[in-house]
Amino acid sequence: GAVTFDPKKLESSSQLWSGYPHILTPSFQDTAHNITALVGDSAFLPCTVSHLGDRSVTWMRKRDLHILTADVYTYSADERFRVLHPENSDDWTLHIKFTTERDAGVYECQVNSDPKISRKVTLTIKDSQLDDPLHYGIATTDTMPTVMIEGQSERHIQRGSVLSVTCVVHHQPHSAPDHILWYHGSTNIDYDASRGGISIQ
């Protein structure tokens, strides 16, 4: 049968659509544009998007136009990059682990809306040896390296899942330790054991 349109209903629908553009249009919230991290530490680049809807958030490195993450997936072969997106939140934070001086530069958070919107974040990397370690809560001497575990001191995970623990060693230039030993209680962890299950990256 023939399909008929009611012009009044169509006009009303159009007015409803155009009358609430803020509901339909993604937008960035005001977060930091400049982030500083120390060499070897983690960097967190913020990007908060309101009214995302069914659009996607992508992080790109401007230096080489390399796509790092899309949605919650990492598209870079460099596993130091990942996006932190708590469920049902508007946050899409780019997390860069073990930063190097080469990581410095401009990164872009993009939303594939129409038109596309993007937001730049500039990352500065500082050599920790040029700063006072006490400013960052790290006690040190001229010769002894300092060691700390990233993240919370107590973690709860499901049986059978993977636990990832990151150790950061701060040391003087050209004096990196030859070996790093991990312990479970008083027992040295043998990550070369034939049974597997433990790996160090």
Side-chain angles (χ1 to χ4, degrees), residues 42-60:
S42 287
F44 298 91
L45 281 58
C47 182
T48 303
V49 185
S50 301
H51 316 304
L52 181 63
D54 59 355
R55 279 82 170 189
S56 298
V57 175
T58 300
W59 274 101
M60 182 183 73

Side-chain angles (χ1 to χ4, degrees), residues 31-37 42-46 105 121-125:
T31 52
H33 286 276
N34 296 287
I35 300 297
T36 301
S42 287
F44 298 91
L45 281 58
V121 180
T122 301
L123 175 62
T124 301
I125 303 296

Side-chain angles (χ1 to χ4, degrees), residues 60 78 140:
M60 182 183 73
D78 189 339
T140 186

Side-chain angles (χ1 to χ4, degrees), residues 11-148:
E11 181 181 359
S12 174
S13 175
S14 299
Q15 289 174 351
L16 181 64
W17 180 273
S18 61
Y20 299 93
H22 60 283
I23 295 178
L24 307 170
T25 306
S27 62
F28 294 111
Q29 293 184 22
D30 186 21
T31 52
H33 286 276
N34 296 287
I35 300 297
T36 301
L38 295 180
V39 170
D41 283 358
S42 287
F44 298 91
L45 281 58
C47 182
T48 303
V49 185
S50 301
H51 316 304
L52 181 63
D54 59 355
R55 279 82 170 189
S56 298
V57 175
T58 300
W59 274 101
M60 182 183 73
R61 183 169 55 205
K62 290 289 286 183
R63 166 168 50 87
D64 52 7
L65 302 181
H66 185 62
I67 299 297
L68 302 173
T69 66
D71 285 326
V72 296
Y73 303 104
T74 299
Y75 276 71
S76 172
D78 189 339
E79 295 182 350
R80 297 179 306 122
F81 295 92
R82 64 171 178 166
V83 69
L84 304 178
H85 174 61
E87 191 174 358
N88 298 322
S89 77
D90 292 336
D91 298 330
W92 299 83
T93 303
L94 180 64
H95 179 199
I96 307 174
K97 297 193 294 185
F98 314 123
T99 56
T100 68
E101 293 180 353
R102 185 170 170 76
D103 291 322
V106 178
Y107 294 78
E108 195 167 281
C109 180
Q110 302 177 344
V111 177
N112 65 341
S113 52
D114 187 14
K116 182 188 79 172
I117 60 174
S118 62
R119 185 177 187 282
K120 295 179 181 178
V121 180
T122 301
L123 175 62
T124 301
I125 303 296
K126 298 180 70 175
D127 186 346
S128 59
Q129 303 301 328
L130 302 179
D131 297 285
D132 179 7
L134 294 179
H135 175 72
Y136 298 95
I138 304 168
T140 186
T141 66
D142 290 339
T143 57
M144 290 294 293
T146 60
V147 182
M148 63 181 193

